[in-house]
Amino acid sequence: MAERTEASRTCSVVGCGKDVERSLGFKKVEESGLDIGEDVGRKAGLCKEHYKEYKKLTKKDRVLESIGR
Ligand SMILES: [Zn+2]
């Protein structure tokens, strides 16, 4: 094992732990409904799968918003 960078190298979603594909603002991810547990800093890392889920969740939010109007 080489150097350990920040803890943000693995997915921030609780119980996941896969390699990070995208880094997103912690709050944004939290608001999307994904369970990323405690604040890990300014950024939350998401693996490929959870990034997909995040996009789905935020998309849904947007749709619901437009329906509500
Ligand atoms: Zn993940």
Side-chain angles (χ1 to χ4, degrees):
M1 297 263 169
E3 78 244 57
R4 49 195 283 224
T5 337
E6 291 293 313
S8 50
R9 295 222 69 168
T10 50
C11 182
S12 301
V13 176
V14 173
C16 187
K18 287 184 183 172
D19 286 346
V20 167
E21 176 85 8
R22 299 286 168 116
S23 290
L24 295 151
F26 184 90
K27 270 224 155 169
K28 276 193 172 183
V29 180
E30 195 178 42
E31 280 166 8
S32 78
L34 284 174
D35 186 9
I36 48 175
E38 293 285 302
D39 198 335
V40 291
R42 290 186 194 89
K43 293 259 176 169
L46 293 181
C47 67
K48 215 173 190 176
E49 278 170 46
H50 279 121
Y51 181 63
K52 248 194 229 166
E53 210 175 314
Y54 165 81
K55 285 216 299 197
K56 231 191 267 172
L57 287 164
T58 49
K59 212 184 214 172
K60 205 193 263 173
D61 266 3
R62 221 178 275 163
V63 171
L64 284 175
E65 227 169 74
S66 53
I67 289 172
R69 288 206 98 219

